[in-house]
């Protein structure tokens, strides 16, 4: 017998842990998303997961993850409701719970067209848009001749300083995980100064590029080309639509748009930091 909306509204919301990874991946698959177990592993250890257990059996009826950057900002992602419980208020209830738990902390998220109306009702506004691009890199359009090399352990302090400067907040708890999380980590260096860095991490049959922090579009292109040369997999990343030069160059090299999302924020007029040097996020978790 189907569970009533009133009964759904009474289901408890609990914290998720690493032991819930497969259930989260199952829920992703249920909604037609990739399972992305590697990404789920990072999100559930570096962030705080919230979930509603399926009342009719094992698994989750709904879930979400919040990644905190301190009191200045937190990112909401992977807002998912099982198909059988869709459009019955679970997503809204989970989001209201996250808002209550977050208190006065400003929040950001990447929204699909399906999720955007709900987030607008909850006080989020669109600040920009991002294109998800994917494909086999062809090396048709050359990258600028910017020196790029594999990162070493000695580079981590400089990478953390640059990320803090560009992102506007301390992401040490995420960036410090990159050497173990990513298959490839590159830095751009000129005159002894690190001017950018980028990682490529495995996700299903692709390598996802992110984060991508760079002094200018030319440096961003050089970092992407270096990562592309290190893998035979298709590349995937999310690029702010304001980076028109980088998007055009990526598409010349076979990396085409597969989806567009809205970058939304609540309780701030815009994201902190310098978007001109922030080319791709560490993870994108649209809802």
């Amino acid at each position: 017998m189907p569970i009533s909306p009133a009964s759904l509204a009474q289901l408890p919301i609990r914290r998720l842990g690493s032991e819930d990874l497969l259930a989260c991946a199952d829920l992703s698959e249920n909604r037609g998303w990739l399972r992305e177990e590697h990404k789920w592993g990072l999100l559930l250890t570096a962030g705080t997961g919230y979930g509603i257990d399926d009342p009719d059996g094992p698994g989750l009826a709904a879930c979400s993850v919040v990644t905190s950057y301190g009191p200045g900002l937190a990112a909401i992602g992977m807002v998912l409701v099982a198909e059988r419980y869709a459009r019955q208020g679970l997503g809204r209830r989970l989001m209201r719970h996250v808002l209550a738990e977050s208190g006065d902390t400003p929040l950001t998220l990447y929204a699909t067209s399906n999720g955007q109306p709900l987030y607008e009702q909850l006080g989020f506004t669109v600040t920009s848009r991002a294109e998800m691009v994917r494909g086999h890199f062809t090396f048709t359009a050359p990258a600028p001749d910017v020196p790029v090399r594999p990162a070493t352990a000695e580079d981590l302090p400089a990478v953390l300083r640059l990320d803090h400067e560009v992102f506007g907040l301390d992401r040490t708890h995420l960036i410090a995980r990159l050497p173990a999380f990513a298959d490839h980590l590159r830095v751009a260096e000129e005159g002894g100064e690190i001017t950018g860095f980028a990682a490529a991490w495995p996700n299903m049959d692709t390598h996802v590029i992110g984060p991508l922090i760079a002094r200018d579009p030319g440096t961003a292109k050089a970092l992407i080309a270096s990562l592309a040369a290190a893998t035979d997999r298709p590349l995937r990343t999310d690029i702010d639509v304001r980076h028109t030069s980088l998007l055009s160059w990526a598409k010349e090299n076979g990396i085409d748009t597969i989806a567009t999302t809205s970058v939304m924020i609540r309780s701030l007029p815009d994201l902190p930091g310098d978007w001109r040097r922030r080319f791709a996020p560490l993870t994108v978790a649209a809802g």
Side-chain angles (χ1 to χ4, degrees):
M1 178 183 295
I3 186 169
S4 69
S7 297
L8 280 177
Q10 299 303 313
L11 294 176
I13 298 173
R14 67 174 178 88
R15 292 285 183 95
L16 302 178
S18 56
E19 68 276 7
D20 296 298
L21 188 154
L22 292 180
C24 291
D26 289 343
L27 188 52
S28 292
E29 198 168 48
N30 174 264
R31 294 316 307 257
W33 293 16
L34 299 174
R35 288 185 62 83
E36 300 188 306
E37 292 181 18
H38 190 61
K39 182 167 84 171
W40 273 113
L42 175 70
L43 292 171
L44 290 171
T45 54
T48 302
Y50 298 93
I52 299 173
D53 290 315
D54 191 327
D56 288 335
L60 294 168
C63 71
S64 180
V65 178
V66 178
T67 304
S68 173
Y69 306 114
L73 187 70
I76 302 174
M78 309 306 277
V79 181
L80 287 162
V81 177
E83 178 64 33
R84 64 186 299 181
Y85 301 119
R87 296 171 295 280
Q88 298 182 59
L90 277 190
R92 181 185 299 274
R93 179 163 172 252
L94 194 58
M95 281 295 300
R96 289 194 180 281
H97 181 82
V98 168
L99 295 183
E101 290 284 298
S102 301
D104 295 330
T105 302
L107 298 166
T108 185
L109 52 79
Y110 282 70
T112 62
S113 57
N114 288 335
Q116 185 172 331
L118 169 61
Y119 303 136
E120 288 175 340
Q121 292 169 20
L122 295 174
F124 288 82
T125 57
V126 175
T127 62
S128 63
R129 297 181 67 79
E131 289 190 23
M132 179 184 289
V133 294
R134 184 188 186 279
H136 282 282
F137 196 84
T138 63
F139 297 94
T140 302
D145 187 18
V146 175
V148 174
R149 60 172 175 80
T152 68
E154 288 73 26
D155 295 320
L156 185 57
V159 166
L160 288 170
R161 285 194 298 271
L162 179 60
D163 186 76
H164 196 164
E165 176 187 340
V166 173
F167 190 75
L169 296 164
D170 186 0
R171 290 200 295 180
T172 297
H173 64 303
L174 283 174
I175 302 301
R177 287 180 162 89
L178 281 180
F181 178 69
D183 283 346
H184 307 286
L185 182 58
R186 298 286 193 269
V187 293
E189 185 177 37
E190 294 191 66
E193 176 190 0
I194 290 180
T195 59
F197 70 94
W201 45 275
N203 196 36
M204 307 298 288
D205 65 337
T206 67
H207 267 117
V208 178
I209 294 179
L212 173 56
I213 299 291
R215 179 171 63 186
D216 50 43
T219 302
K221 294 173 186 178
L223 285 162
I224 290 176
S226 177
L227 291 170
T231 179
D232 293 328
R233 297 186 185 190
L235 297 181
R236 202 184 91 200
T237 192
D238 296 80
I239 300 173
D240 191 307
V241 296
R242 292 172 291 187
H243 291 302
T244 55
S245 169
L246 183 62
L247 276 169
S248 297
W249 175 83
K251 292 172 183 178
E252 285 184 73
N253 283 297
I255 313 298
D256 295 317
T257 300
I258 60 172
T260 302
T261 54
S262 296
V263 184
M264 305 187 76
I265 195 162
R266 185 178 189 268
S267 302
L268 280 179
D270 203 350
L271 290 172
D274 183 2
W275 73 265
R276 293 170 181 81
R277 292 183 287 166
R278 185 176 57 232
F279 291 89
L282 178 49
T283 63
V284 166

